[in-house]
């Protein structure tokens, strides 16, 4: 089956620093990748949709200057949380979609804690 | 607006059967997904329905009625490891997934 990896799986950082999260599709090419955020006991919240070679489309209320998304290749998308604050602490999950199929394959998630 | 409704929490007994319902109103329809999510982990795919009817996969089955905007996930022979959140998601006309809030399923011995 299609495998999506995320790195790191968890990160603790100081307030004001920037954190980069990588999302890779390991055995397929993903033209579209999605970034989600999930707070405890809440459902997934789509942050942005990322298409290879073009600018990401951000959901309403998500600051594009704070959450920088780069989808430079068909197998890699990165999310950078700039100047992180404690309220950015959350579970960040990426998913990737194969063009021919509707199913999204999820990465294992990255737990970010900002002190 | 777009809306996915599913119960917040359900409790069932080990070995029994449970049905988790999901109703939806979306702009367009390109299929309905069920995902399982254990605490602290990412969702894992369970089923995909795009045509009306029942899809059976082992102990899990998923049903869809497009005319009613309704789906259910049926879990048989419940095991303790089935304790998790079950997420219903509909793919709209833009191929975006619209997520329900999830149903937390608690299995008791």
């Amino acid at each position: 089956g299609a495998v999506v990896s995320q790195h790191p799986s968890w990160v603790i950082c100081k307030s004001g620093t920037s954190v980069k999260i990588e999302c890779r599709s390991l055995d397929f090419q993903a033209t579209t990748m999605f970034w989600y955020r999930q707070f405890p006991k809440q459902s997934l919240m789509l942050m942005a949709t990322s298409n290879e070679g073009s600018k990401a489309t951000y959901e309403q209320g998500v600051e594009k200057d704070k959450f920088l998304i780069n989808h430079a290749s068909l197998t890699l998308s990165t999310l950078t949380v700039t100047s992180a604050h404690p309220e950015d602490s959350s579970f960040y999950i990426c998913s990737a979609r194969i063009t021919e199929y509707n199913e999204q394959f999820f990465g294992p998630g990255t737990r970010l804690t900002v002190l | 607006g777009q809306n996915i409704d599913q119960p917040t929490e359900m409790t069932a007994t080990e070995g029994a059967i449970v049905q988790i319902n999901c109703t939806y109103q979306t702009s367009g329809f390109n299929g309905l997904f069920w995902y399982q999510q254990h605490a602290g982990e990412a969702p894992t795919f369970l089923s995909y329905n795009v045509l009306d009817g029942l899809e059976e996969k082992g102990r899990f089955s998923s049903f869809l009625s497009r005319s009613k905007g309704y789906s259910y996930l049926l879990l048989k022979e419940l095991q303790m490891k089935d304790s998790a959140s079950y997420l219903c998601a509909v793919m709209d006309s833009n191929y975006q997934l619209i997520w329900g809030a999830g149903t937390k399923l608690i299995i008791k011995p």
Side-chain angles (χ1 to χ4, degrees):
Chain A
V3 179
V4 176
S5 71
Q6 265 183 257
H7 178 81
S9 52
W10 59 269
V11 58
I12 301 173
C13 69
K14 291 182 180 179
S15 186
T17 60
S18 294
V19 175
K20 181 188 279 190
I21 303 169
E22 290 187 351
C23 177
R24 293 182 185 271
S25 55
L26 297 185
D27 51 2
F28 66 99
Q29 293 185 328
T31 52
T32 305
M33 287 186 171
F34 304 87
W35 286 97
Y36 293 88
R37 180 167 53 183
Q38 187 175 36
F39 293 105
K41 297 185 180 180
Q42 294 186 23
S43 190
L44 296 171
M45 212 174 65
L46 179 65
M47 298 176 68
T49 301
S50 159
N51 291 296
E52 185 263 338
S54 62
K55 289 184 180 180
T57 302
Y58 289 82
E59 295 299 300
Q60 197 171 9
V62 178
E63 300 173 58
K64 60 183 179 183
D65 294 332
K66 180 170 181 64
F67 298 99
L68 301 178
I69 291 172
N70 184 281
H71 192 162
S73 77
L74 286 171
T75 59
L76 173 65
S77 176
T78 60
L79 167 68
T80 302
V81 183
T82 61
S83 187
H85 288 98
E87 58 265 30
D88 298 324
S89 298
S90 187
F91 192 42
Y92 291 86
I93 309 171
C94 75
S95 70
R97 191 174 79 211
I98 300 175
T99 307
E100 295 81 10
Y101 303 104
N102 286 338
E103 182 183 346
Q104 289 186 23
F105 300 93
F106 284 88
T110 297
R111 187 160 300 283
L112 170 64
T113 301
V114 184
L115 302 176
Chain B
Q2 310 207 90
N3 196 48
I4 311 281
D5 284 318
Q6 52 181 130
T8 305
E9 187 174 296
M10 298 181 72
T11 303
T13 306
E14 190 178 15
I17 299 173
V18 71
Q19 177 174 311
I20 303 174
N21 296 324
C22 171
T23 57
Y24 63 90
Q25 288 180 309
T26 57
S27 54
F29 181 82
N30 278 302
L32 185 144
F33 297 80
W34 283 96
Y35 284 85
Q36 180 191 60
Q37 186 178 26
H38 286 100
E41 298 179 12
T44 54
F45 170 80
L46 288 179
S47 67
Y48 172 63
N49 294 68
V50 66
L51 299 176
D52 290 349
L54 186 68
E55 296 275 346
E56 296 185 78
K57 193 186 293 185
R59 293 188 299 115
F60 293 5
S61 304
S62 57
F63 171 83
L64 174 68
S65 169
R66 288 172 297 171
S67 62
K68 295 181 180 178
Y70 168 69
S71 172
Y72 67 73
L73 179 69
L74 191 72
L75 293 78
K76 302 177 184 176
E77 300 169 20
L78 286 170
Q79 301 175 10
M80 296 304 292
K81 67 178 182 180
D82 297 329
S83 291
S85 286
Y86 290 85
L87 308 176
C88 172
V90 172
M91 184 164 280
D92 69 9
S93 55
N94 294 319
Y95 294 93
Q96 296 275 43
L97 276 181
I98 311 301
W99 292 89
T103 299
K104 182 179 180 181
L105 178 63
I106 300 168
I107 310 295
K108 294 185 175 179

